[in-house]
């Protein structure tokens, strides 16, 4: 390979590096919109991995809940209804509390 070809290859390689950097910047700018979706996907993946790592604990908790439901079905239904009512109350009061907190700050 003569020196002229070597110089041409070096110049071409530098052009490709610059073009690659430019394309990476464009891609990074365009993916800003997708960041929340990527974050949510990462959280889901982390949750699934956590469940896989703690499978024995999840099975034990599931068995305890199933045992409680079988032993005292009426108490389990009452507890479920109370939890559901509490969740509904929380959902209704959250906007009011958020508005109140914004006014304080």
């Amino acid at each position: 390979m003569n020196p002229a070809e070597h110089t041409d290859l070096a110049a071409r390689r530098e052009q490709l590096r610059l073009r690659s950097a430019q394309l990476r910047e464009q891609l990074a700018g365009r993916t800003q919109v997708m960041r929340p979706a990527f974050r949510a996907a990462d959280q889901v993946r982390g949750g699934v991995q956590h469940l896989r790592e703690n499978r024995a604990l999840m099975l034990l908790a599931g068995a305890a809940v199933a045992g409680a439901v079988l032993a005292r079905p009426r108490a389990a239904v009452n507890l479920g209804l109370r939890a559901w009512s509490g969740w509904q109350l929380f959902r209704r009061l959250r906007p009011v509390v958020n508005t109140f907190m914004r006014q304080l700050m």
Side-chain angles (χ1 to χ4, degrees):
M1 182 177 291
N2 63 28
E5 290 176 346
H6 185 66
T7 305
D8 289 342
L9 284 175
R12 178 72 177 141
R13 182 176 18 211
E14 188 61 29
Q15 288 174 349
L16 289 172
R17 284 183 185 161
L18 291 173
R19 178 70 177 146
S20 179
Q22 181 185 17
L23 290 173
R24 277 194 299 273
E25 287 179 20
Q26 286 178 358
L27 184 62
R30 290 178 182 166
T31 58
Q32 291 294 329
V33 175
M34 297 298 292
R35 273 205 185 181
F38 291 150
R39 254 188 240 119
D42 288 341
Q43 287 178 345
V44 168
R45 186 182 328 135
V48 168
Q49 184 178 3
H50 179 72
L51 287 176
R52 285 183 181 163
E53 291 170 357
N54 298 313
R55 183 174 289 174
L57 183 61
M58 293 296 137
L59 288 175
L60 181 62
V65 169
V69 168
L70 290 174
R72 307 272 317 248
R74 186 175 293 170
V77 169
N78 286 337
L79 181 61
L81 288 174
R82 285 184 183 185
W84 179 255
S85 298
W87 172 250
Q88 293 300 314
L89 180 66
F90 171 75
R91 285 185 54 199
R92 288 181 184 156
L93 289 179
R94 184 172 43 178
V96 174
V97 170
N98 286 342
T99 304
F100 179 72
M101 293 302 288
R102 270 190 243 120
Q103 289 176 354
L104 288 178
M105 295 182 163

